[in-house]
Amino acid sequence: MSATTLFSGRVAPAMQPVPPIVSPDTPVAEACRRMAEAKQTSVLVADEAGRVVGILTEQDVVRRVAFRLDPATPVQAAMTSPVLHAAPDEYLYRAVGLMRTRGLRHLPVLDADRRPVGMLLRFETYAAASGRLLAAVERLAQPEDERGFAATRAAQAELARTLLDERVPAADVIGVVSEINIDLHRRIVERALAARPSPPPVPFTLLVMGSAGRGESLLAPDQDNGLILGDYPDEAHGEIDAWFISFAEDLNDRLAAAGFPLCKGHVMARNPLWRKRAAEWREQFRLWADRRSPVALLFGDIAFDFRPVWGDPAPAAALRAALARILAARPAFLAALAGQLGELSVGLSFWGGFRDDEAGPGARTDLKKSGLMPLVASARLLALKHGIAETGTRARLEALAEVGAISRGEAEGLIAAFGDVAGALLRQQLADVAEGRPPGTLVDLRGAAKAEQTAVREALKRIGAFQKEVVAAFSGSLW
């Protein structure tokens, strides 16, 4: 199992087949025989409806059955109940963390009706993982409340450092951190819903946007989120919106308590601009595309990276398709985005040295604004032009190569450049954390090793050239 699979994969691919299943009144001798015949180390105990109510393992047999119980004793007298379990779509690191912290060798995988679909076994699940990675799992396994979620967020720096030491590519490390953040968002939504006095009056889908929507969050993400609300008649707006106002306020506050600061630009579900029905989202996108104002361009930069993370994903997919149609009919908006892209520049001086983005001694370069963003915005612009649904920068570059918008070699070079720049930024953030500073976006490239300086310099040159190509493709001239 790879480190990235451990932290960003799901339970289902790692689970083993379901062991033998017996009824609660099955004699323990029969349960042990079934276990031995199947060459398994456990049996599950299920009721008449097939719902798992207990588990009997080899250890249970040694501790509770051998020389203590009559062979005819019903297995329910010896089984462990209630059963700790995982869901097939749960993140694997959470299941492994539960097994580690509870000392479990077996963890049943149950569906929503508590019927078995597989089994996680300790050795098969994480025998290939190093001790440091498993220790990182335990640090992530925190209580299911906002304080625990904040502790999980705080543990991400050590996780990122461990993954880098394990030679996991920096871009993959950032992807792992992002997926853990998405997992936290889902769990916080569940807690916020559980605290409500009534269920949602209509279904909704939670969107994350910006770097979270791209799966490219570093160590200091804030909130960029919104809600697609299920359809309802206009006359019901007051009552329905009142429920969602309260819910969104609580959700954003819970996210903040868990370590995701409130967005300074108010791109959050508590703002009605980012909380509306699907038809209203479509109309909002049309208005932005028609007006092409600076605010519309700024909002487009954030919103067009949207990704569904809770609720039915279908409304988000439909909104993505609608966005493609809107932009295809309004090429002037993409041209305006290209003009905005042309205002960005990579962090290199005229002579090829690193540009200073802060004044005074020890000047550093802002590798987010002057490195990642020109690449992110260029890939986004081309992806929007070609109707590509992917939101991650690397996925967009790969998709652009598939449709022939860029060459395969250019895509591979830009993906490598993304990794070099993101890696330098991530390592600087880890150094900031180690020295007690909040992680930022300014990087001391002059203090970096020569090899890293060379790699980042070449990456910025490649990004800058790509940025010019994209701007030229929309403006018809070089700049």
Side-chain angles (χ1 to χ4, degrees):
M1 179 194 305
S2 69
T4 52
T5 298
L6 177 60
F7 289 98
S8 60
R10 302 303 176 105
V11 164
M15 66 189 184
Q16 302 296 312
V18 177
I21 299 174
V22 300
S23 63
D25 58 359
T26 301
V28 291
E30 174 65 13
C32 292
R33 185 187 66 79
R34 295 275 304 276
M35 189 189 307
E37 287 182 349
K39 297 182 179 179
Q40 295 287 326
T41 55
S42 68
V43 294
L44 293 176
V45 184
D47 62 17
E48 293 180 353
R51 297 183 295 259
V52 171
V53 295
I55 183 173
L56 183 74
T57 69
E58 285 184 333
Q59 283 191 317
D60 293 329
V61 172
V62 172
R63 291 197 307 262
R64 303 172 187 168
V65 177
F67 308 111
R68 298 185 184 184
L69 293 178
D70 185 282
T73 301
V75 72
Q76 63 185 350
M79 68 184 187
T80 297
S81 182
V83 180
L84 296 173
H85 64 279
D89 61 347
E90 188 172 335
Y91 279 83
L92 185 57
Y93 83 90
R94 291 179 59 193
V96 172
L98 178 61
M99 295 176 77
R100 292 274 296 181
T101 56
R102 296 296 188 94
L104 304 175
R105 299 187 181 189
H106 307 76
L107 186 66
V109 182
L110 309 182
D111 65 15
D113 295 321
R114 296 186 64 84
R115 293 183 173 88
V117 295
M119 178 71 77
L120 288 181
L121 302 177
R122 183 171 68 184
F123 181 79
E124 286 80 357
T125 302
Y126 55 84
S130 71
R132 283 190 65 190
L133 285 176
L134 294 176
V137 169
E138 291 189 17
R139 284 191 290 272
L140 293 173
Q142 299 290 335
E144 289 290 306
D145 55 33
E146 278 64 42
R147 181 176 297 180
F149 299 149
T152 297
R153 280 275 299 113
Q156 289 179 345
E158 183 57 33
L159 169 63
R161 184 176 291 109
T162 300
L163 292 173
L164 288 177
D165 289 347
E166 296 269 341
R167 300 189 180 279
V168 175
D172 290 342
V173 175
I174 292 170
V176 166
V177 171
S178 295
E179 284 302 307
I180 293 173
N181 287 339
I182 294 303
D183 183 34
L184 290 175
H185 276 66
R186 293 186 178 117
R187 292 152 70 185
I188 290 168
V189 170
E190 296 287 352
R191 279 184 56 80
L193 287 173
R196 307 302 301 165
S198 61
V202 294
F204 69 92
T205 302
L206 174 67
L207 303 178
V208 294
M209 297 170 279
S211 61
R214 296 191 302 274
E216 295 166 5
S217 299
L218 289 154
L219 297 182
D222 62 1
Q223 293 187 50
D224 288 316
N225 52 63
L227 300 178
I228 303 178
L229 305 184
D231 201 18
Y232 56 84
D234 290 343
E235 56 268 25
H237 176 76
E239 178 183 353
I240 290 176
D241 197 46
W243 192 98
F244 279 104
I245 288 172
S246 177
F247 170 74
E249 290 278 356
D250 184 39
L251 174 63
N252 290 148
D253 286 344
R254 287 175 183 271
L255 286 165
F260 300 97
L262 298 175
C263 175
K264 295 179 180 179
H266 304 286
V267 182
M268 295 177 290
R270 69 200 321 167
N271 182 342
L273 181 65
W274 306 100
R275 185 187 70 246
K276 58 188 70 178
R277 291 168 285 185
E280 293 165 331
W281 277 99
R282 293 193 297 270
E283 181 60 23
Q284 184 69 72
F285 285 173
R286 277 193 289 269
L287 287 173
W288 291 347
D290 286 337
R291 292 175 179 174
R292 304 192 299 278
S293 66
V295 171
L297 296 174
L298 174 61
F299 284 165
D301 267 348
I302 299 170
F304 294 166
D305 289 339
F306 68 84
R307 169 187 175 187
V309 298
W310 191 93
D312 184 0
L319 184 59
R320 176 67 61 189
L323 174 62
R325 294 192 296 270
I326 290 167
L327 296 182
R330 295 163 176 80
F333 183 76
L334 296 181
L337 284 176
Q340 182 175 262
L341 171 61
E343 297 175 3
L344 298 176
S345 60
V346 297
L348 295 174
S349 68
F350 179 80
W351 303 106
F354 294 117
R355 191 177 67 213
D356 294 342
D357 287 324
E358 67 175 354
R364 300 188 291 176
T365 304
D366 190 332
L367 276 190
K368 180 179 180 181
K369 179 181 179 181
S370 304
L372 290 181
M373 290 317 299
L375 177 55
V376 166
S378 298
R380 178 196 299 121
L381 184 55
L382 277 187
L384 292 173
K385 176 183 178 181
H386 291 276
I388 291 170
E390 282 82 358
T391 57
T393 300
R394 293 187 295 169
R396 280 172 167 164
L397 291 169
E398 290 173 351
L400 287 167
E402 289 179 4
V403 301
I406 60 177
S407 70
R408 175 62 59 184
E410 186 173 19
E412 292 174 352
L414 290 167
I415 289 171
F418 177 89
D420 289 334
V421 174
L425 180 50
L426 178 60
R427 283 186 284 273
Q428 180 65 64
Q429 288 192 333
L430 290 172
D432 291 342
V433 170
E435 295 174 10
R437 299 193 302 266
T441 60
L442 294 167
V443 180
D444 178 15
L445 291 170
R446 293 175 180 80
K450 290 294 183 184
E452 182 170 53
Q453 289 186 25
T454 299
V456 172
R457 185 179 289 109
E458 293 304 310
L460 293 177
K461 289 179 181 178
R462 187 182 293 273
I463 292 168
F466 178 56
Q467 177 190 6
K468 290 181 179 180
E469 290 174 6
V470 173
V471 172
F474 284 88
S475 65
S477 63
L478 293 173
W479 47 282

